Amino acid sequence: MPESDSQHKGRDGSVSAGDNPGQGRLAHAPADHPPVRRAKIGVLLANLGTPDNYDYWSMRRYLNEFLSDRRVIDYPAWKWQPLLQLVILTKRPFTSGANYKLIWNHDKGESPLMTITKDQTARIAERMAAQHGDRVMVDFCMRYGNPSTASKVRAMVAAGCEKILFFPLYPHYAGATSATANDAFFRALGAEKRQPAVRTVPEYFDHPLYIDALAQSVERAYAGLDRRPDVLVASYHGMPKRYLMEGDPYHCQCAKTSRLLRERLGWAAGSIDTTFQSVFGREEWLRPYTVQHVAELARQGRKHIAVMAPAFSADCIETLEEINGEIREAFEHAGGESFTYIPCLNDDEAHITALTAVIGENLAGWLG
């Protein structure tokens, strides 16, 4: 089929119609050949997820999906599901919903995690467009809730992404975070007739730009205080200690992040404490537990502390309500006098620079 004046050839050799520059027919294809979109590269960011609202049924749907994930709770289904469905999901949606209501972005009708992830995606998309034009499509998905991983993979393939870089926004690897996000991505690929080539971004807990972004956030926070905190607590999301013994590297990676952060700040040994929060169930989790540790600091006379959450790429229920609520209260009830929460990196300029650099490194060879 000869090209007309209203058509142009794409980078992949396809011919795109003038009224729809994103797709067209191959130059030598028969007239009834389906449209072929110009090839793109997709960058799909992934975060944990969020309920659609804080009402009972929205919370129940979200918690059911999250707590039914065998990467998160690996007990046998015959033992765990009756407890989950008949006990936990009867009560917990009410308490969790009340906590979400306290931090909800009521102006936009969404959780802070959703708002921040949208902002991060938009800023990264701007950076990628400045570097690569329309060759790269940037979007985000959630492991639990909406927008689902499957829906975004489908949208990218439909948009002509023949290669997709999947980026779980977890600086540290854990089976219950990075691995389950990758699981959902691979399942979504299984539904595609024409699978794109794919890569997954590994953990970046020791990336110099990530460490520098953390350090800058601490320096800004400390510069605004009248009194320097006695200690900085780096609170990471917890996991059962059993997972560490079974080979999960999360604990060691968290410890290294704290050490690299301390070295970047030029602080003495012992000035940053590494702790773990969000304990669930009866088995032992990684210690020390943040909520207990901050109370012990206060009882020891360390009345002024700062707390940050390096494992979270965006502020969420675990930081805005748990750290700045429950953990703050535990410190103050034990005699603590000043508690400074240092926000997550969110869409801070240094963080966007770090994330964009990680993406660029993992796109090597895909972009000329």
Side-chain angles (χ1 to χ4, degrees):
M1 175 183 127
E3 296 185 35
S4 69
D5 292 339
S6 63
Q7 296 173 326
H8 63 276
K9 187 170 293 186
R11 296 178 63 91
D12 61 349
S14 65
V15 177
S16 300
D19 61 349
N20 189 354
Q23 66 179 30
R25 287 192 297 274
L26 296 175
H28 303 289
D32 61 350
H33 194 283
V36 178
R37 290 189 177 274
R38 187 183 310 169
K40 292 179 179 288
I41 293 174
V43 175
L44 184 56
L45 311 174
N47 215 322
L48 180 75
T50 171
D52 295 326
N53 211 321
Y54 50 79
D55 62 276
Y56 175 83
W57 289 109
S58 295
M59 290 303 311
R60 183 177 177 113
R61 284 192 299 271
Y62 173 73
L63 291 172
N64 182 49
E65 184 180 9
F66 175 48
L67 296 175
S68 293
D69 186 347
R70 292 297 303 276
R71 290 276 195 180
V72 176
I73 306 292
D74 64 355
Y75 301 145
W78 64 266
K79 179 187 295 186
W80 173 243
Q81 281 298 320
L83 176 63
L84 176 64
Q85 301 299 329
L86 301 177
V87 179
I88 296 173
L89 292 181
T90 300
K91 301 178 180 179
R92 187 159 179 174
F94 290 110
T95 56
S96 294
N99 290 335
Y100 266 98
K101 185 177 181 180
L102 293 174
I103 66 166
W104 201 254
N105 185 339
H106 294 279
D107 291 338
K108 295 189 175 181
E110 61 192 22
S111 73
L113 178 65
M114 179 66 76
T115 302
I116 294 166
T117 305
K118 287 179 178 178
D119 292 342
Q120 291 171 328
T121 303
R123 296 201 60 192
I124 292 171
E126 290 175 358
R127 298 279 189 98
M128 298 305 292
Q131 296 175 19
H132 307 292
D134 64 354
R135 293 183 61 196
V136 178
M137 174 182 179
V138 181
D139 208 341
F140 76 95
C141 64
M142 297 294 183
R143 172 60 184 88
Y144 313 105
N146 297 306
S148 70
T149 304
S151 69
K152 291 300 185 175
V153 168
R154 178 84 286 276
M156 282 192 161
V157 172
C161 292
E162 295 185 359
K163 299 174 181 177
I164 297 178
L165 179 69
F166 185 69
F167 190 178
L169 291 175
Y170 305 110
H172 310 80
Y173 175 91
T177 55
S178 306
T180 190
N182 288 336
D183 289 345
F185 177 57
F186 296 141
R187 283 195 295 270
L189 292 171
E192 294 302 320
K193 182 70 69 177
R194 167 66 159 90
Q195 286 185 331
V198 301
R199 293 175 179 172
T200 59
V201 177
E203 59 272 23
Y204 54 98
F205 66 95
D206 56 355
H207 195 287
L209 292 178
Y210 161 69
I211 297 298
D212 189 59
L214 290 176
Q216 289 185 42
S217 72
V218 173
E219 290 166 343
R220 283 195 303 269
Y222 276 42
L225 298 176
D226 295 330
R227 187 190 191 283
R228 181 183 175 89
D230 300 318
V231 64
L232 172 62
V233 176
S235 179
Y236 298 84
H237 197 287
M239 68 164 54
K241 182 179 179 180
R242 171 170 53 86
Y243 291 9
L244 166 65
M245 306 312 293
E246 292 172 349
D248 196 299
Y250 178 74
H251 177 272
C252 300
Q253 293 180 358
C254 292
K256 186 172 182 180
T257 292
S258 293
R259 176 178 63 79
L260 292 175
L261 173 60
R262 179 181 60 78
E263 292 173 353
R264 160 60 178 78
L265 290 167
W267 292 1
S271 53
I272 299 180
D273 291 351
T274 297
T275 64
F276 300 90
Q277 64 183 84
S278 308
V279 176
F280 178 80
R282 295 183 178 181
E283 69 177 304
E284 182 179 2
W285 282 43
L286 299 177
R287 291 181 181 270
Y289 300 154
T290 304
V291 68
Q292 295 176 359
H293 185 74
V294 298
E296 183 60 27
L297 288 174
R299 287 190 287 267
Q300 292 172 357
R302 307 177 87 172
K303 305 290 187 178
H304 308 272
I305 68 170
V307 180
M308 68 187 307
F312 296 91
S313 63
D315 275 307
C316 55
I317 191 74
E318 285 86 357
T319 63
L320 299 175
E321 194 284 324
E322 185 177 0
I323 291 180
N324 215 19
E326 175 189 352
I327 291 169
R328 173 190 289 272
E329 291 173 3
F331 176 71
E332 293 174 345
H333 289 167
E337 297 177 11
S338 67
F339 181 102
T340 299
Y341 171 61
I342 301 174
C344 293
L345 296 177
N346 297 326
D347 66 340
D348 177 76
E349 185 73 14
H351 190 211
I352 299 303
T353 296
L355 295 178
T356 304
V358 171
I359 290 170
E361 292 164 6
N362 283 273
L363 285 176
W366 276 5
L367 290 167

